[in-house]
Amino acid sequence: MKSASDTAAASPAERAAWLRAEIERHNRLYYVEAETEISDVDFDALVRELEDLEAAHPELATEDSPTRKVWGEPLAGFANVQHRVPMLSIRNTYNEAEVRKFDQDVRKGVGDEPVRYVVELKMDGVAMSMTFTNGVYTAAATRGDGTTGDDVTQNIATLRDLPKQLKDAPAGTVEVRGEVFMERAELDRLNVLREAAGEEPYRNPRNTTAGTLKLLDPAQVAKRHLRLFVYEMVPVDFKKPGTHQDTLKTLAAWGLPVNDHFTVCDSIEEVLALCDSWQTKRFDLPYETDGLVVKVDKEEQRAKLGYTSKAPKWVMAYKFPAEVRRTRLNDIVFQVGKSGVVTPVAELEPVPLAGTIVKRATLHNFEELRRKDLRKGDLVEVQKAGEIIPQVLGYVPEERPESAPAVEPPEACPSCGGALHQDPEGVFLRCLNLACPAQILGRLTHFASRGAMDIDGLGPAIIEQLVSRELVTTPVDLYALEADILAGLERMGEKSAANLVAAIEASKARPLARLLFGLGIRHVGTTTATALAREFKNMDALMAAKVDDLEAVDDVGPIVASSVADFFDTEANRALVETLRMAGLNMEQPVETVASDGPLTGKTLVVTGTLEGMTRDEMHEAIQRAGGKVASSVSKKTDYLVAGEKAGSKLDKAEKLGVTVLTEQEILAMLEGGA
Ligand code: IVH
């Protein structure tokens, strides 16, 4: 794909084609993969640019342009449902003038009679349609492409907010529409569980909601407490109330959850004032909102206004700009990671931003720091990227303190004082001293982590104490720790000290693959570590391997091969391995029992996304026990891609190459020999 700047100067036709492809790609990421790469503001800017281009050059407008259609694709795995009445999207703006223009158009459209608006919160969740027949809940469907959605009746049935029987039920069939969402606190609760299980935390409530609705097992959906607000009614067998206010009242009277933060406004001035007041108030809500929805109240007027191919003319969303706050940059500190990379980090005067208190923000690298020219004491503007990760946008020039020198990259490692080297690959500065305390801390934390030696109870807080008391510098020192020494650490009793000693002892038996991963060799993740361990079977054979031997292993390319060879060529690393061996660590990879006649014998699989029932490592092990081979990237040689929740680019690639994609349920069935 060309970059935006490549086509910015191109012909209108080229630019329009690029915009279309880019918008489609982001739509796909958002709707199908529940993943986002760019902010709503940036996305809307792309759509806006394409709309303007198509307006200026009508000959460029195509039938299937993303400016004309509602996006979203039904998922494989759920039955398709045809919507009785299409589920349209709504026009968006960030701009006050456009809200005024909307009001003018509405007034003109209804023949200059008074117009009343109902202004609701725009919930940042997933649109849902629910059907009730004679008051009984019978079906639910996602929006999908607006015409056809996914049948998620069972999943939605698990929502506690949804009554299964309406009060004072109307006779006949009625569809109600609304938004399924997740509260921030629920996301936090799920993330505590995930982190305890060593899994990546979920990034935001909307994506997690979309991912949850994709689960094929309603019992799993029930475990994540999704919520619901309804805001529209599509009766099949009776007439709708005459105003939207009455529609909301009726929905509430039936026992459905209606968000009571809606306001009736008699003028567009009132609407705009209300929008202003929600800009910051919205962060006090327990859920995320991304704007306000301004709806014409009277049904009669709505009917007069009608629809475009994509959206009703009687509704407009006024979206909140990303919240930007100013705060002082108290300091810029340098952090050293496990591989020695030094990262500049902004330490900020704590500031509330988009629902949390922000104190730090990574500046990524020294190139970025130089570009932004941030200085200690600056007043800076911060915002959250994708509403999650704090980001320093820049400084306010007139507020710069008089004597604020530019921040230079450190000349020596801030942790050990050792020399720093510019990374040949780019913009990074790296400390090469293996004895650097910050690196030691990072390496030991990695060694003990769940995917590596899995030493229960040995987290960063304990390791930091061990390192600062110089009780531990290399992994082998862990194996010499005694309970009475550990019991002297902060937050450690005798019992937990004894448990920790036992956990350290137990880790000696881990298979070679885990030890290899735990050593933190550059470019060696769990999959590569497993491939190497399976191939060479023991540490000696691996250490003796030449670059060519390493490259011959499936899934190992030249960069990984030379990284492994370099690691074992280094005297200190060889010595570390020898001391670990003397401490009694296992250096072998157990021979897998099912190899020649398992259900997956001869098959190569790649696992991607988040799995529900097990970690990815556990899935890898299960596949290997069934005789299958696990690779880390999708190629023509891949037989199956196992795609969990939030599968991203690997899924795209598999689809492109025609590789069969399996859901978690399908692979589990195969592992049991069921397919
Ligand atoms: S009304 C035809 N009201 O925003 C009008 N939509 O970007 C139907 N949304 O698809 C939508 N809160 O998923 C409406 N109070 C609200 C809303 C709302 C969130 C979502 C909905 C819609 C999307 C459009």
Side-chain angles (χ1 to χ4, degrees), residues 23 94 99 145 149 203 213 303 382 388 414 454 501 523-524 555 560 620 653 657:
I23 292 166
Y94 289 93
V99 180
D145 63 6
R203 279 195 279 161
L213 291 172
V382 286
I388 311 281
D454 194 13
V501 170
H523 306 298
V524 177
D555 228 34
V560 180
H620 288 169
K653 187 151 181 214
L657 295 174

Side-chain angles (χ1 to χ4, degrees), residues 87 126-130 176-180 228-232:
M87 288 180 81
V126 174
M128 192 60 59
S129 146
M130 289 137 293
V176 295
R177 292 178 176 176
E179 200 85 354
V180 176
L228 171 74
F229 279 131
V230 300
Y231 45 66
E232 280 296 341

Side-chain angles (χ1 to χ4, degrees), residues 30-31 70 86-92 119-128 143 177-180 229-232 244 248 259 290-295 302 307 310-312 314-315 317 319:
Y30 186 85
Y31 287 104
V70 180
M87 288 180 81
L88 298 175
S89 65
I90 45 190
R91 284 178 296 161
N92 283 325
V119 183
E120 294 169 10
L121 291 171
K122 185 161 167 5
M123 306 298 306
D124 199 8
V126 174
M128 192 60 59
R143 183 168 74 168
R177 292 178 176 176
E179 200 85 354
V180 176
F229 279 131
V230 300
Y231 45 66
E232 280 296 341
H244 188 61
L248 294 178
N259 190 331
D290 56 350
L292 294 175
V293 185
V294 186
K295 300 176 175 179
R302 288 188 179 190
Y307 299 81
K310 203 181 162 187
W314 44 262
V315 58
K319 296 186 79 175

Side-chain angles (χ1 to χ4, degrees), residues 15-77:
R15 181 68 183 167
W18 181 85
L19 284 166
R20 259 179 230 128
E22 190 66 0
I23 292 166
E24 286 291 346
R25 188 172 76 80
H26 289 299
N27 268 330
R28 203 188 142 67
L29 284 171
Y30 186 85
Y31 287 104
V32 180
E33 290 171 16
E35 251 315 336
T36 41
E37 255 178 33
I38 58 174
S39 69
D40 283 6
V41 180
D42 293 340
F43 177 78
D44 292 334
L46 292 175
V47 175
R48 188 50 67 94
E49 188 187 339
L50 182 57
E51 282 172 351
D52 291 348
L53 251 177
E54 290 178 345
H57 304 271
E59 74 283 2
L60 295 180
T62 57
E63 214 29 61
D64 63 347
S65 171
T67 55
R68 296 200 182 184
K69 64 175 194 194
V70 180
W71 226 90
E73 260 173 32
L75 295 155

